[in-house]
Amino acid sequence: MTDVHSPLIDLDPEAQALLFTDARTANTFTDEPVTDEQLQAIFELAKFPPTAANTQPLRILYVRPGEARTRLVAHMSEGNKAKTASAPMVAVLAADTDFHEFIPQVFPIRPQMRDDLAGKPEAREGMARFNATLQIGYFLLAVRAAGLAAGPMGGFDAAGIDREFFADSSWKTLLVVNIGRPGENAWFPRLPRLDYTDVVRHA
């Protein structure tokens, strides 16, 4: 466990390590399956943090090994093909640009927002991508909270994945994440982090 936990953080040191200080991007995985129950538990945790107007535009496609995985791998960059092919579970995380259809359900205090956004596809796409990206951060933390490792990847043909899997929907691919128990040599060496004084200003 990385010994950088702070007594000012209202999580015990083990939780700080699990979610943050020991968190790494996994590059290999064991053969242990990821169960449907684990996937639902991850979602049930990740769905609660906030999004603008509670819009929750993140959508998830889980792809197990098989024919669909082969189709997905074809759209990954060369350096990501092998690990995507071998991971026990892969999540394609997408933004739903038609999230506004759910507004009467998820934001009942202003149901008229659905009609306000109906004729504004560019505004909807911006909202969808921004808020779904927020949710991706929550999703990765939930994977770690479930005791699993995540391997998020940006190297893929997003338009190709959209054509392959989302051609008849309003989902737009944002990130592909391998999920499972870490395998042999799963971690690259820890790289340096910027210091507080490198990134923070006070006005």
Side-chain angles (χ1 to χ4, degrees):
M1 183 175 70
T2 304
D3 189 21
V4 295
H5 64 272
S6 169
L8 300 177
I9 301 298
D10 196 18
L11 286 173
D12 63 53
E14 290 77 16
Q16 291 183 48
L18 178 67
L19 298 178
F20 295 100
T21 59
D22 282 355
R24 309 289 291 276
T25 293
N27 293 284
T28 68
F29 298 88
T30 70
D31 293 333
E32 180 179 339
V34 177
T35 67
D36 289 344
E37 290 77 14
Q38 287 172 304
L39 297 177
Q40 182 162 357
I42 289 166
F43 171 76
E44 295 296 341
L45 187 60
K47 73 181 183 181
F48 281 104
T51 52
N54 200 35
T55 46
Q56 305 168 62
L58 181 67
R59 304 292 181 261
I60 305 166
L61 172 69
Y62 285 120
V63 186
R64 294 190 183 278
E67 181 269 340
R69 179 73 64 85
T70 300
R71 290 161 47 210
L72 175 62
V73 168
H75 298 286
M76 303 302 295
S77 65
E78 202 57 42
N80 289 332
K81 287 182 184 293
K83 55 188 174 182
T84 304
S86 61
M89 179 58 65
V90 180
V92 179
L93 303 182
D96 183 1
T97 59
D98 282 349
F99 68 87
H100 65 298
E101 296 294 349
F102 289 93
I103 283 177
Q105 174 182 338
V106 299
F107 202 54
I109 61 173
R110 284 193 62 194
Q112 68 273 20
M113 278 185 64
R114 178 179 62 184
D115 295 335
D116 293 343
L117 288 168
K120 300 176 181 176
E122 290 185 5
R124 288 204 317 272
E125 181 158 352
M127 285 184 66
R129 288 182 178 275
F130 179 81
N131 286 282
T133 300
L134 284 179
Q135 289 185 277
I136 286 172
Y138 310 145
F139 177 87
L140 295 176
L141 289 175
V143 170
R144 293 168 185 159
L148 299 171
M153 298 169 292
F156 53 82
D157 175 7
I161 294 176
D162 289 348
R163 288 191 300 270
E164 191 74 48
F165 293 98
F166 306 142
D168 297 325
S169 79
S170 53
W171 296 17
K172 305 294 183 184
T173 302
L174 297 178
L175 193 70
V176 178
V177 184
N178 296 329
I179 300 171
R181 301 284 181 187
E184 187 176 357
N185 300 318
W187 321 117
F188 293 150
R190 170 72 82 186
L191 294 171
R193 265 40 180 185
L194 295 173
D195 290 331
Y196 182 86
T197 53
D198 294 321
V199 301
V200 175
R201 295 181 181 179
H202 292 269

